[in-house]
Amino acid sequence: MKSLRTITILFITLISLSYASNINSQKTGEVDVNCLQQIRNGFIPNSQPMKALLTGSEVAEFRTTLFEGNTYRIATCSPTNKKIWFSVYDTNKNLLFSSTQQQHSSSWDFKMEGNMECIIEAGLMPGGDDSGLALVLIGFKTSDVSL
């Protein structure tokens, strides 16, 4: 009888933990779909979305290499619909783009004139929740250059 009681308590505990984790988890699959909707009109999404769980004024830093002749779109989103600011730098920390200087745009389109390693910094806009998931996705399309 004692083992049946132990099994019942264990079962209820596992069910409770499973339910609690589902309530608090963020649905990152939906975030990917929402961000993918921002990468349209001929852009091919990079298969490596950049994700960071941020708290307060933390800043995520991502590195990527961009190639000459491609047109790129950087898009940002969050599962809690928080606004995300982002900036793009070269490896010498020269600012190439800042969404804060563009009415907090959630995306940016640009064409590369040469190959370059870039640093993308992203953070949550102040206000509201103190933490959240920031997602940065890059899409590209090649120019129609005949060889």
Side-chain angles (χ1 to χ4, degrees):
M1 192 66 146
K2 190 174 184 179
S3 65
L4 179 60
R5 182 172 181 238
T6 304
I7 290 173
T8 304
I9 291 172
L10 181 62
F11 180 72
I12 291 172
T13 303
L14 288 174
I15 298 269
S16 299
L17 288 174
S18 174
Y19 180 73
S21 68
N22 286 336
I23 290 173
N24 293 324
S25 66
Q26 294 180 338
K27 299 175 183 176
T28 58
E30 291 178 16
V31 176
D32 293 339
V33 171
N34 291 336
C35 258
L36 283 173
Q37 290 176 357
Q38 293 184 51
I39 307 286
R40 292 185 181 220
N41 301 323
F43 286 91
I44 300 166
N46 180 339
S47 62
Q48 297 292 326
M50 298 173 267
K51 298 178 183 180
L53 182 58
L54 302 172
T55 302
S57 60
E58 286 182 324
V59 176
E61 181 177 294
F62 308 104
R63 290 183 178 261
T64 190
T65 302
L66 305 173
F67 299 99
E68 179 177 7
N70 290 334
T71 301
Y72 290 92
R73 176 174 291 165
I74 297 176
T76 61
C77 64
S78 174
T80 56
N81 294 325
K82 286 191 65 90
K83 286 264 191 185
I84 299 170
W85 63 265
F86 71 100
S87 298
V88 180
Y89 299 91
D90 65 15
T91 54
N92 294 322
K93 284 297 228 174
N94 295 311
L95 181 64
L96 305 175
F97 177 83
S98 175
S99 66
T100 59
Q101 297 173 351
Q102 302 294 323
Q103 292 83 37
H104 304 290
S105 173
S106 63
S107 65
W108 177 45
D109 294 355
F110 58 98
K111 183 172 178 150
M112 290 302 297
E113 298 299 326
N115 298 337
M116 180 186 297
E117 184 177 352
C118 294
I119 301 166
I120 301 171
E121 291 184 349
L124 301 173
M125 294 293 292
D129 295 338
D130 288 337
S131 66
L133 181 69
L135 180 79
V136 177
L137 190 63
I138 299 176
F140 71 96
K141 59 183 173 181
T142 58
S143 60
D144 298 324
V145 177
S146 53
L147 299 174

